[in-house]
Each structure stands twice: as C-alpha cells, then as structure tokens.
Amino acid sequence: MSYQRLARRLADDPAPAVTTLPDGSIDRYCRLSTGALDPVNRRTTFAREAAADGRKGFDLEPRFVEPGGQAVNAAQQVYALGARATCYGHLDDPEPGRDVFVDLPFETVSMGQAAKVNVLDFVDSDLLLVEASPDLTGWSLADLREAAPLSTAFGVDAVVCANWVSTPGMAEAFHELGAAAPRRVPFVFDPGDVLGGDLDDHQELREAVRALGEGVDAVLSVNPTELRALAAALPAPPGPPVDDEDRVVAVREAFDAAAVVKHGKQAALAATGEGVVRVENPTVDAQRQVGGGDRFDGGLAVGLGAGWDWPVALACGNACASYYVATSETASAATLRTWLADRDLA
C-alpha cells in the first residue's frame, strides 16, 4: 500500500527545495588482486588474505572515478526525483586540470577541498580507504555563512546533513544552528560510521542533536549496525531481549529527536512522535554496495520536504536505495514509478 501511494505521489512531480551538506569526495573505484586471486571480490577474502603469513601486499587497479560524498550522493537523488537540490559541500578537486564535480546538474557551492576515497566495492560489503579533506576537518558554520546566508541555505523545505565522523566542527555547528535556524524543517542527519566511538563521543553526538532540535525537526538516519552502536552507548540502553524497534524508540528518546530512522536491506523503521512505522524494502540483487544509504536519505528528504506522511516518505527512501544498489543508477520519479509497477508494488 505504501508503494502504491508513493507511485501516485511521484506522478505529481514533487518539487520541494532541499539543501545537502557539508562533505564531498572524489571516489576512485578500484579492483583489488593478489597473486592468483584476481580479483579479490569479497571483503571476507580480503580480510583472510591480509592476515595470511607471507602476504606482503595487494595490487590496486583503478577502474573509474566519479563525484561522491554523502551530501553529493543525496543531492543527486533529490535532483533526480525532480526536486530542487543545492549542495553546499567540499567540492574542489585537488587534481590539477580536473574537476569531477563540474557536470553535476544541480546547484553546487564549494567550501573547500574534497576528500579522496579509494572504494573497494566488494560483493558482500564495501570498504572505503579515505584521505580526508583538510578543509572538512576544519569546517565550521562560519564557512557555510561565507558561502551563503543561513536564511538561504536553510530557508528550504528539507535538509540532508551527513558525515559527522569526518567533520569535527559539526557538534559546535549544531549547537549554533539550534538557535539560528531560520525555519523549522525536516533535517535528515546521517552521521555515518559511528562505530568505535567511546562513550564521550556518543554523549557529544546526543547533546549536539538535542541542541539542533531546538531549531529544526531532527531526523536521525542510520543503518542497522550504526543503530546498534548508538543504542549500546546510551546511558540506559534497552535491556534484552531487544530488537530494532526497541532501539529506534530508545535512541529517539535519548536524542530528543523528531524521529529516528533505520534504513536496511529488509525494511525501513522509524520511531516518530506518533509511534513506530515500518515499511518493507523491495527485494533486489545488489550490484553495488556504496551509496545506497545516501539515496535513501535523499528520497526521505524529498518525501518529508513535500509533506508526505511517514509510510510514503520511508517508501520513497527504500525505493531510491533499492533501485540504486540493484542498478548502480540514480532513479528519476518516472523511472521509480515504472520500476515499482514492474515489480507489482504499484
């Protein structure tokens, strides 16, 4: 039912204005090989071979380069659905004479140098080898103010903000933004890989999101592994037996967020002020691991920015992510409608 309603909504050409920020990367997709293993196509194989006695190295063969980063990927999905996307990112290509971002079809504003990422897109999971952007690690809300007035950057229908783990200044920015945001809009926040942080790191994250929620409707968007890490680090984690519904509810309460969303292969789950909403995911054969969560965030932001209810907004995120991992392409509204109909979902 959610996907049938989504198809009808997509036919109306949704056109909310969505801002994404603040990262950006040059993603170099690579093939890995070693000895007789050509290619090494599973992460489990890579881990086994890396630990093997006598294994000294691997051959890394670049295959192609494309613009990336969570903010860029989300903006690509927003634009593809017909909405108005503006990406305030770190989009300066450090390679002389090259600009991998120049052909992006939506409005972009760069705040500094992009990160460089070697992507090992194994069939079972991905692995990113990152050379961080020196500008992103030093980013603050003042950098965004130099790029555009906050009334322009945040005077939109929805926001996607991502990559907390690579942006140390985001905590202070959230505290500032809670008091300075010009409009209360859905603010989809995907912190990225929060695994391995200590309890102080998690407390800083919770306090920042609570402060952010003073000015916007903070929607925390995480994958299943990240959700488990956030729940385990709570001062009073949910006790066993525990499932992901318990976790999203507990994390939402601790973060004082408008909603907490888990996006995964099987389903999307949202704890909201009205209760928990679950929307099953279309089943696909994954061709690509990297970037699906970012398409989910973009689709979710379009749905929330357009005023759709939670089941339809989650269905939009699911459909965008599933189509992308199945095809390696970012779906337009018309493409999604056809794809859903072909799968007897609409």
Side-chain angles (χ1 to χ4, degrees):
M1 182 64 71
S2 296
Y3 291 106
Q4 293 174 346
R5 295 171 59 207
L6 171 62
R8 292 195 294 269
R9 295 283 191 169
L10 292 173
D12 294 334
D13 297 322
V18 180
T19 284
T20 72
L21 74 161
D23 66 347
S25 63
I26 292 98
D27 290 356
R28 188 174 73 155
Y29 283 75
C30 301
R31 171 175 165 155
L32 197 68
S33 62
T34 182
L37 291 172
D38 185 14
V40 177
N41 58 10
R42 290 187 173 274
R43 184 167 175 167
T44 51
T45 304
F46 171 64
R48 185 190 69 230
E49 292 298 315
D53 289 341
R55 180 69 68 200
K56 294 183 177 180
F58 295 83
D59 295 322
L60 196 63
E61 177 188 347
R63 295 165 50 225
F64 59 90
V65 175
E66 64 182 26
Q70 290 180 262
V72 173
N73 293 341
Q76 291 192 74
Q77 184 63 75
V78 169
Y79 177 84
L81 290 175
R84 291 169 288 160
T86 304
C87 178
Y88 298 89
H90 285 71
L91 310 176
D92 295 346
D93 191 333
E95 183 75 22
R98 184 187 70 180
D99 185 355
V100 301
F101 302 100
V102 69
D103 292 327
L104 291 174
F106 46 85
E107 184 177 355
T108 59
V109 180
S110 182
M111 297 181 286
Q113 182 177 307
K116 292 185 282 187
V117 181
N118 286 325
V119 181
L120 304 177
D121 196 21
F122 297 118
V123 298
D124 49 353
S125 66
D126 56 270
L127 181 65
L128 308 182
L129 308 177
V130 181
E131 182 179 335
S133 160
D135 296 324
L136 183 60
T137 57
W139 180 83
S140 70
L141 203 60
D143 296 303
L144 180 59
R145 285 192 175 97
E146 288 185 13
L150 294 188
S151 59
T152 299
F154 297 114
V156 291
D157 300 304
V159 175
V160 178
C161 180
N163 211 343
W164 165 276
V165 294
S166 298
T167 318
M170 195 174 285
E172 182 177 345
F174 279 10
H175 283 271
E176 291 183 52
L177 191 56
R183 294 179 63 186
R184 178 167 286 280
V185 298
F187 191 104
V188 178
F189 170 48
D190 189 332
D193 186 359
V194 294
L195 309 182
D198 61 27
L199 293 180
D200 288 341
D201 294 332
H202 283 275
Q203 181 178 350
E204 181 183 43
L205 177 59
R206 289 193 300 272
E207 291 175 351
V209 173
R210 285 196 290 263
L212 176 68
E214 295 294 322
V216 300
D217 291 332
V219 177
L220 184 63
S221 177
V222 293
N223 67 31
T225 304
E226 293 158 356
L227 175 64
R228 288 193 293 272
L230 293 176
L234 295 178
V242 60
D243 58 19
D244 282 347
E245 183 169 330
D246 299 321
R247 293 185 180 100
V248 292
V249 169
V251 171
R252 177 179 178 270
E253 181 178 347
F255 279 70
D256 197 19
V260 170
V261 176
K262 181 207 76 171
H263 51 85
K265 292 181 180 179
Q266 282 72 43
L269 193 65
T272 76
E274 292 73 44
V276 176
V277 181
R278 180 185 179 93
V279 177
E280 298 297 323
N281 223 344
T283 301
V284 298
D285 293 325
Q287 303 299 316
R288 197 170 195 179
Q289 302 292 332
V290 179
D294 305 333
R295 268 71 184 183
F296 178 92
D297 293 338
L300 178 64
V302 168
L304 296 177
W308 301 348
D309 61 25
W310 274 103
V312 179
L314 292 176
C316 187
N318 277 351
C320 291
S322 295
Y323 184 88
Y324 181 77
V325 300
T327 67
S328 300
E329 297 178 358
T330 304
S332 67
T335 298
L336 273 189
R337 288 174 60 210
T338 300
W339 186 73
L340 291 170
D342 289 345
R343 305 176 75 85
D344 295 326
L345 293 172

